[in-house]
């Protein structure tokens, strides 16, 4: 059944919750958006235009999905809660700009961390066209989802993601700050980071305890992007460099380069103080550390 009142409103959400006996599942990070302005802010930040191919992670009861569809998006959604597809197929508009819902929306019950994008999207999306990922993320797995997306071969135009503000700060962090770390470096070597909007906790039902922000990540052009070699390997080396962030770089490098002579060689070659802490180093230095480790451990 469809309705004129958007799903992203307290009144319509309450009606759906009552009709289907929905209980927001805390363990799945279910905080449904009930603020139409916030939802439209996300859709605008993602720049959704008619014909855009959109992957949504965790559609919930459809607050964001509905607005993505109305803006012209063709939406493929990953969800793990098996009570939701029935609600979505009933409550989303059955016709959008003359097209049937089934032609514009598909949901798969699958953990997005186990997604095989090429396989999952085949037959629904045109593989030659880039996709936009848009999500009000399940906060308990924000970081693994971001790593998974940016390490995947998915051809994406942008990622527009709502997350806890603290993680958004990590994405945009500068060296020397507390928020700077492996996530910052993995993202900033590949993507431009733009903070689009902050969202009040009262915009959700139930309201989360943390503040939220929407970040747009856009792939850097080939000539703007640093060459980090194999991305997954680079990200792993950076994680190892930060494994004990209060300790010195020398301490953190012990697992990667157990031989002291080789570590000394690295510090000399890169003109680095072994006592530096990882969070003080700019991204360019991690790229050099990664290259040097590959060279020395051959
Ligand atoms: N998009 C809806 C909204 O904005 O109101 C719901 C967002 S809610 C914060 C997160 C959604 O992600 C929930 O629907 C939850 O069931 C789903 N989810 C949780 N873990 C997931 C996973 N591993 N893969 C896919 N979806 C997941």
């Amino acid at each position: 059944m469809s309705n004129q009142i958007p799903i992203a409103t307290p009144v319509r959400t309450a009606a759906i919750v009552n009709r289907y006996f929905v209980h927001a599942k805390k363990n799945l990070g279910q905080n449904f958006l009930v603020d139409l302005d916030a939802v439209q802010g996300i859709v605008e930040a993602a720049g959704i235009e008619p014909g855009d191919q959109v992957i949504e992670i965790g559609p919930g009861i459809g607050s964001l999905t509905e607005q993505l569809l109305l803006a012209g998006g063709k939406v493929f959604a990953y969800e793990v809660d098996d009570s939701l597809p029935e609600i979505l197929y009933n409550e989303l508009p059955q016709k959008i700009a003359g097209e049937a819902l089934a032609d514009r929306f598909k949901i798969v019950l699958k953990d997005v961390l186990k997604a095989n994008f090429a396989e999952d999207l085949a037959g629904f999306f045109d593989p030659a066209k880039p996709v936009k990922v848009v999500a009000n993320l399940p906060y308990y797995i924000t970081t693994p989802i971001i790593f998974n997306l940016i390490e995947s071969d998915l051809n994406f135009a942008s990622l527009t993601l709502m997350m806890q503000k603290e993680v958004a700060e990590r994405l945009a962090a500068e060296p020397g700050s507390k928020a700077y770390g492996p996530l910052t470096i993995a993202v900033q070597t590949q993507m431009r980071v733009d903070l689009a909007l902050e969202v009040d906790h009262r915009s959700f039902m139930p309201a989360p305890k943390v503040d939220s922000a929407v970040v747009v990540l856009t792939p850097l052009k080939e000539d703007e992007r640093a060459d980090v070699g194999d991305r997954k390997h680079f990200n792993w080396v950076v994680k190892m460099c930060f494994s004990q962030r209060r300790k010195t770089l020398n301490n953190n490098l012990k697992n990667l380069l157990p031989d002291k002579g080789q570590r000394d060689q690295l510090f000399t070659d890169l003109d680095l103080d072994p006592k530096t802490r990882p969070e003080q180093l700019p991204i360019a230095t991690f790229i050099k550390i990664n290259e040097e480790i590959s060279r020395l451990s051959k």
Side-chain angles (χ1 to χ4, degrees):
M1 209 187 8
S2 181
N3 198 307
Q4 292 303 312
I5 304 171
I7 300 173
T9 53
V11 59
R12 178 83 187 280
T13 292
I16 294 174
V17 162
N18 291 333
R19 190 172 308 137
Y20 300 92
F21 306 105
V22 178
H23 292 282
K25 299 185 177 83
K26 229 178 164 181
N27 63 328
L28 293 180
Q30 292 185 349
N31 298 93
F32 303 126
L33 275 165
V34 290
D35 178 344
L36 189 59
D37 287 342
V39 171
Q40 286 176 339
I42 299 172
V43 175
E44 257 169 49
I48 302 300
E49 289 176 1
D52 275 352
Q53 304 190 131
V54 181
I55 294 180
E56 186 185 3
I57 299 164
I61 59 168
S63 331
L64 178 55
T65 323
E66 182 180 49
Q67 299 307 316
L68 290 167
L69 291 168
L70 293 176
K74 183 170 180 177
V75 180
F76 183 97
Y78 286 96
E79 180 55 71
V80 281
D81 182 341
D82 63 6
S83 70
L84 296 174
E86 183 205 349
I87 301 178
L88 287 159
Y89 282 119
N90 284 344
E91 297 294 331
L92 287 170
Q94 300 300 299
K95 276 239 174 302
I96 310 124
E99 284 183 277
L101 179 61
D103 295 331
R104 293 280 299 277
F105 174 68
K106 183 173 176 182
I107 179 166
V108 290
L109 280 173
K110 191 174 195 177
D111 176 352
V112 69
L113 295 175
K114 300 197 176 117
N116 177 333
F117 295 113
E119 240 174 53
D120 299 342
L121 303 171
F124 193 64
F125 278 178
D126 173 356
K129 239 180 112 181
V131 301
K132 292 181 174 174
V133 178
V134 185
N136 168 16
L137 290 174
Y139 290 179
Y140 73 106
I141 43 171
T142 302
T143 302
I145 289 178
I146 296 174
F147 268 106
N148 241 46
L149 288 169
I150 64 174
E151 288 179 350
S152 76
D153 293 327
L154 186 64
N155 174 13
F156 48 77
S158 60
L159 308 174
T160 303
L161 306 173
M162 166 114 81
M163 61 193 75
Q164 55 275 54
K165 208 172 141 198
E166 178 228 324
V167 182
E169 282 163 3
R170 275 196 248 157
L171 297 183
E174 302 276 348
S177 67
K178 258 195 184 163
Y180 182 72
L183 185 63
T184 320
I185 297 166
V187 168
Q188 290 187 12
T189 45
Q190 251 182 282
M191 325 279 289
R192 205 184 71 214
V193 180
D194 292 298
L195 178 70
L197 61 146
E198 292 188 10
V199 179
D200 192 277
H201 68 280
R202 283 168 301 189
S203 301
F204 302 83
M205 208 198 75
K209 289 202 179 78
V210 293
D211 292 326
S212 300
V214 178
V215 174
V216 183
L217 305 177
T218 319
L220 293 169
K221 295 196 188 81
E222 200 72 33
D223 58 341
E224 295 167 337
R225 205 179 303 173
D227 182 8
V228 299
D230 178 79
R231 244 182 297 152
K232 281 190 191 171
H233 184 265
F234 172 72
N235 290 344
W236 174 75
V237 166
V238 175
K239 279 182 195 164
M240 296 296 281
C241 289
F242 276 90
S243 48
Q244 291 172 290
R245 63 182 295 143
R246 292 221 187 97
K247 296 222 165 148
T248 63
L249 184 61
N250 183 43
N251 251 304
N252 281 307
L253 282 179
K254 280 182 183 162
N255 284 328
L256 286 168
L257 282 181
D259 184 281
K260 182 177 180 306
Q262 289 194 329
R263 284 199 308 281
D264 289 345
Q265 179 76 51
L266 179 144
F267 292 123
T268 312
D269 290 351
L270 303 187
D271 196 18
L272 280 175
D273 178 353
K275 291 203 185 91
T276 330
R277 288 178 209 290
E279 69 200 43
Q280 293 163 322
L281 300 173
I283 291 177
T285 304
F286 286 100
I287 295 172
K288 286 190 197 142
I289 291 174
N290 180 44
E291 286 167 357
E292 185 79 354
I293 288 174
S294 305
R295 199 177 64 76
L296 289 170
S297 47
K298 254 184 202 151

